[in-house]
Structures are given as C-alpha cells and as structure tokens.
Amino acid sequence: VAFPSGRVTGRLVRASVAVIYLVTAAISVGLALWRDPFRDRYCWNNCADNAFLVHANPAVVRSFTEVWLYCSIAVGVGLAASVAWRLVRASRTARRSLAPVLGPGFGVALMVALYAGLRLLDRAENPEHAAFMAVFVARAFAFAFLGAGIGWVVLRERRRRWSVAQLADELGAAPPPGSLATALARSLGDHRLEVAYWLPDTECYVDAAGRPVDAQPGPTRAVTPIARRGVPVAIVIHDGSLRATHDLEREIGSASRLAVDNERLQAQASAQLAALRASRARIVETSDNTRRQLERNLHDGAQQRLLALSYELQLAEGDARTAGDSRLAGVLAAGAEKAATALVELRDLAHGIFPVILTEAGLAAALATFIDTAPLHVELVDLPDRRLPQDAETTAYLVVTAAVEHAVKRSAARLVATFTDDADHLQIELIDDGVVSTFGDLNLIRDRVGAIGGRCDFSGSCVSAVIPCG
C-alpha cells in the first residue's frame, strides 16, 4: 500500500494499517504469554520451547489463532481489492510503473487469504493435502515474483535517473524544437509528457511551437516546475505517478538546463510569430469589415439619395415640357442624365470597395458576376460551389480580381483560373497569355494571403495561391 512513494496516503488506508499492526501486536503478545508449543496438538516436530510463556492456556490460544486467521482473510481480501482498484484506475504510464510490484502483491494477498481459509477448515495443515500443497507453491511463487518485481523497480529507477542525467549530452547545444519533451518522454516512459515555457512578457506558458499551454492539466497529471534563482523558466506536465518516484525538479533542471534555455528562446520567438500572424489576421478582418460597412453606407445613403434626385429631376423635366418651357426641360434632362451617370459610377465604386454579392451568394456567384464585365476572357475551372469561410472567400476573390487586373496590364487576352478544393485548403492557379513581367503590384495580394495563414507565389505568367479554409 505504500508503493511506490514509501508513504501510506489516505485516512482510511492509514487507519487500516494501524489496526492491522495493533491486532498483530496484540495476538503476538498473547501467543507469547499463553501458548505452550508442547501442549499444541497441531505442533509438529519443529516445536521449540517458548521462553516468554507465563501460563499455558490452550483455550485462549485457540481463540487468538482463530482471530488471527479471520483477520488474515480480511486483510488478504482487502489488500487484493485495494491493489486491483489502484491498477484499474491508474493511467497507462502509472500502471506500467506499478505492475511489477502490485501484480505479484495481488497474488500474495490472495494466497494469504486462501491459506488462512484452509487453516480454518483443516487445523492440522496436512502437508500431503493437495490444497495445502498447491497454496504453498503458489504463495512461494507469489513472494518470489514480488521480490523480483521490487528488484526490477530499483534497477529501472536507477536506469531512468541515468537516462535523465544523460539528457544534456543527448540533446546537444542547440536541439530542434520539441526535442526536450521527446527525450524526457522516452526517459521517463510517459508518452503524453509535455514541456511548457514561461514567457514573462505575456505571462503565460507555451509549448515549443509557441502555442499556449494550460498549466492545470487535470487530476491524473502533475506539474513539475523548473526555476532558476526562484524565477520560473518552464514546467513539465507528466503523469502523476512519476512524482512519487522521481525528484523531477532536481533531475530535469540539472540535466537539461541548456536545452530548456534554448527551447524557451525558440518558443518565445514562435509565440511572437504567432502573435504577429494573429495581429495581421485581425487587421485584415478589420479592413474587410470597414470596406463592407463603407459599401453598405454608400448603398443605403448616397446611392439612394442620387436615385431620388434623378427621379425628381425626371419629374421636373416632365412638368417643364408640359408647361412648354423647352429650355428648362433641356437643363433638367441634362441634370437627370448626369445624376444617372453619377449613380452608375457610385455603384461601380461601391462594388469595387466590396461586392455585396460575395457576402450574400458566395465566391462562385461573385466571380461569375465579375468575369461578365472583365476586359479579357476569364475561364473558371472546378470553381467550388460550397460556401467557404468569409475571410477565405474574400481573399480568393481578391486574388482572382488582382490577377485579372495584372494580366490586363500585360496585354493578356485570356486567363485560366483553376481551383482545387481539398476541404482544408483552397488552391488557385491563374495562368494568362500576357507578356512576362515583374509582379510588384501583386505583393499586396501576397501579404493578404499570408495574413490569414496562406501562401502566394508568382512565376512567369502564373500566380498560385493556397488559402486555408478549414
């Protein structure tokens, strides 16, 4: 019950152990004071004189013996149940550590209970009886395996300490990200082990890739801090059973100090890069929202007022012609025509700021509308008809429109846009027949694609983009 820490934990377990010791002590003292081996009919030829005998009392001795046998049954069954419960509820890592001792311990407990039960049935303990012989052999093997298990655990812990101590040599001066966690997991036998690094600027823990890590992992996991001069450097999140058998803070801190420093710096750089990407994504999202709001304001405000003005000018023109004032009617007609022209230009401007059809109908409908008015022939191949995330649709639309504008500048007459949708990414390849030139005016599109975690490349007359949409 004290394995592997050497301490008995839990009030019920401590109370049970105390009661067992008290009962054992009481019965041992009673047998020492009142049992005369030569008056015990179940004593065989190995009986020896009792130097502590005060007064022989066979009746009391029989009572003590029966109590001891019943207690042995209770202790054996209870211990076996406790061992089985610990093994069942333990994690895979903890079970692998506990099994060499608790497995044979379960057999020892059962054999003790079974032996006591046979003694109650047959007090003579006939060695020629098959049941007694079987229990004797099984109990001997159980104790032998228990001893072997304890020896194996001692050797295994020494080997683990040696493995952890060799981490510094194994990792080298500049290990790649994640090497420390991999080496520790292999040395300690915990495949779920994690190492998180403290970033004082953001006051949080991150893994080797810069991703935030929860420092409160759960009831079956434990956290071992690594500090330098009282300042937190990193934490190791591991199986709770390892804490009982290892001084992880001392062993890990001394064995892998250099690796911790290197990986912490790498994690800090990765976290800053992730923060930069998140900031770029927020800027893009804010820009799209602003453009969307501006388009909505133009549509609902200035565009509606121009439409009302054009209508009123047409009504005034009609009244002037009815009144026979042709000069005024001509002026009003010219004003109505200019208002209509301004309305068309305003609609084109609003559509250029942000096409409302992209939000309402999706990428396929927006591109179909765009190529109808494009100044060159645009062919769309395998255009996905499903709705994509809003930022992915907006980015894909901007990539195609920018590539078309760039192709027009290079005197292209035809452009083919091929789409590949693999659920997590949308790949776009745009090839035109224009004159090969630089792609300087497409750098904004590259930045836009990169801001949402994608990639955009230019080569010859080809523009290719990979846009995340998972």
Side-chain angles (χ1 to χ4, degrees), residues 22-23 47 61-63 88 102 129 142 165 167 187 197 231 239 258 270 313 334 354 380 407 430 432 439 450:
L22 288 174
V23 172
C47 292
V61 170
R62 281 196 299 270
S63 299
V88 167
L102 294 192
H129 197 284
L167 280 178
S187 298
Y197 305 91
V231 179
D239 193 276
L258 182 60
S270 299
L313 288 174
F354 192 90
L380 303 177
L430 304 109
D432 61 66
F439 293 87

Side-chain angles (χ1 to χ4, degrees), residues 277-296:
R277 289 174 176 169
S279 175
R280 293 174 63 189
R282 288 193 297 270
I283 292 174
V284 168
E285 183 180 2
T286 302
S287 174
D288 287 346
N289 291 335
T290 302
R291 295 171 62 185
R292 192 178 296 109
Q293 185 63 41
L294 181 58
E295 187 278 333
R296 191 176 296 115

Side-chain angles (χ1 to χ4, degrees), residues 9-10 40 44 65 67 83 106 143 151 206 210 249 252 255 330 349 352-353 361 377 420 423:
T9 59
D40 185 358
W44 295 79
T65 304
V67 170
V83 168
F106 178 80
F143 274 109
V206 298
E249 183 175 1
I252 295 174
L349 176 62
I353 291 174
H377 176 70
T420 304

Side-chain angles (χ1 to χ4, degrees), residues 35 56 79 113 115 269 279 290 379 428 436:
R35 179 176 179 268
L79 184 60
Y115 170 73
S279 175
T290 302
E379 182 180 353
I428 308 175
V436 177

Side-chain angles (χ1 to χ4, degrees), residues 280 284 291 394-406 428 430 439-458 463-467:
R280 293 174 63 189
V284 168
R291 295 171 62 185
T394 303
T395 303
Y397 180 85
L398 293 176
V399 168
V400 175
T401 56
V404 169
E405 293 175 2
H406 184 69
I428 308 175
L430 304 109
F439 293 87
D441 55 344
L442 291 179
N443 285 329
L444 291 178
I445 292 300
R446 173 182 285 168
D447 294 341
R448 168 66 193 237
V449 175
I452 64 171
R455 187 180 71 255
C456 188
D457 300 314
F458 313 131
V463 177
S464 61
V466 179
I467 301 172

Side-chain angles (χ1 to χ4, degrees), residues 351 355 357-358 361-381 383-385 393 396-398 400-401 404 417 419:
H351 183 80
I357 191 175
L358 182 63
L363 178 63
L367 288 179
T369 303
F370 169 75
I371 64 175
D372 286 342
T373 59
L376 76 167
H377 176 70
V378 179
E379 182 180 353
L380 303 177
V381 180
L383 179 63
D385 54 0
E393 286 188 338
Y397 180 85
L398 293 176
V400 175
T401 56
V404 169
F419 297 82

Side-chain angles (χ1 to χ4, degrees), residues 72-424:
S72 298
I73 294 176
V75 170
V77 173
L79 184 60
S82 175
V83 168
W85 174 247
R86 287 184 64 188
L87 288 174
V88 167
R89 71 172 184 172
S91 64
R92 180 182 300 178
T93 302
R95 192 178 299 119
R96 193 162 49 243
S97 299
L98 297 174
V101 173
L102 294 192
F106 178 80
V108 168
L110 285 184
M111 290 304 103
V112 167
L114 187 57
Y115 170 73
L118 290 177
R119 284 284 309 275
L120 286 173
L121 296 176
D122 185 0
R123 296 291 301 278
E125 192 180 357
N126 185 358
E128 297 181 356
H129 197 284
F132 277 107
M133 180 59 67
V135 170
F136 173 80
V137 173
R139 187 171 59 169
F141 274 104
F143 274 109
F145 282 123
L146 179 61
I150 294 174
W152 164 249
V153 167
V154 172
L155 293 176
R156 183 185 62 190
E157 294 309 315
R158 289 185 177 180
R159 182 175 59 86
R160 282 183 175 178
R161 290 192 182 95
W162 181 84
S163 298
V164 174
Q166 298 300 312
L167 280 178
D169 296 334
E170 180 181 348
L171 293 171
S179 299
L180 178 59
T182 302
L184 284 175
R186 184 173 60 253
S187 298
L188 299 175
D190 182 7
H191 68 283
R192 296 173 57 199
L193 183 142
E194 298 177 82
V195 179
Y197 305 91
W198 174 252
L199 300 184
D201 295 338
T202 57
E203 295 186 348
C204 67
Y205 286 99
V206 298
D207 62 8
R211 297 181 294 264
V213 174
D214 184 9
Q216 304 293 332
T220 61
R221 310 288 288 169
V223 176
T224 296
I226 300 178
R228 183 171 292 109
R229 299 184 184 93
V231 179
V233 176
I235 57 174
V236 180
I237 303 173
H238 54 84
D239 193 276
S241 63
L242 296 177
R243 174 174 286 177
T245 57
H246 290 274
D247 186 1
L248 289 178
E249 183 175 1
R250 178 182 59 81
E251 294 175 5
I252 295 174
S254 61
S256 52
R257 184 174 293 119
L258 182 60
V260 168
D261 287 338
N262 288 335
E263 286 208 3
R264 184 171 64 87
L265 293 176
Q266 294 175 0
Q268 186 173 6
S270 299
Q272 291 174 348
L273 179 60
L276 178 61
R277 289 174 176 169
S279 175
R280 293 174 63 189
R282 288 193 297 270
I283 292 174
V284 168
E285 183 180 2
T286 302
S287 174
D288 287 346
N289 291 335
T290 302
R291 295 171 62 185
R292 192 178 296 109
Q293 185 63 41
L294 181 58
E295 187 278 333
R296 191 176 296 115
N297 291 340
L298 288 175
H299 180 273
D300 297 339
Q303 186 174 329
Q304 296 300 321
R305 286 192 290 272
L306 271 177
L307 184 62
L309 175 61
S310 177
Y311 180 71
E312 291 176 359
L313 288 174
Q314 291 175 9
L315 289 178
E317 178 193 357
D319 292 342
R321 292 189 185 280
T322 302
D325 192 344
S326 58
R327 179 177 176 278
L328 178 60
V331 172
L332 292 173
E337 184 179 351
K338 291 180 180 180
T341 302
L343 181 61
V344 172
E345 292 177 351
L346 185 62
R347 284 176 177 170
D348 292 340
L349 176 62
H351 183 80
I353 291 174
F354 192 90
V356 67
I357 191 175
L358 182 63
T359 302
E360 295 179 351
L363 178 63
L367 288 179
T369 303
F370 169 75
I371 64 175
D372 286 342
T373 59
L376 76 167
H377 176 70
V378 179
E379 182 180 353
L380 303 177
V381 180
D382 295 332
L383 179 63
D385 54 0
R386 71 181 181 99
R387 291 303 303 266
L388 304 175
Q390 192 172 59
D391 57 347
E393 286 188 338
T394 303
T395 303
Y397 180 85
L398 293 176
V399 168
V400 175
T401 56
V404 169
E405 293 175 2
H406 184 69
V408 171
K409 293 179 181 179
R410 294 184 291 106
S411 303
R414 184 172 183 269
L415 181 144
V416 179
T418 305
F419 297 82
T420 304
D421 183 11
D422 62 357
D424 292 330

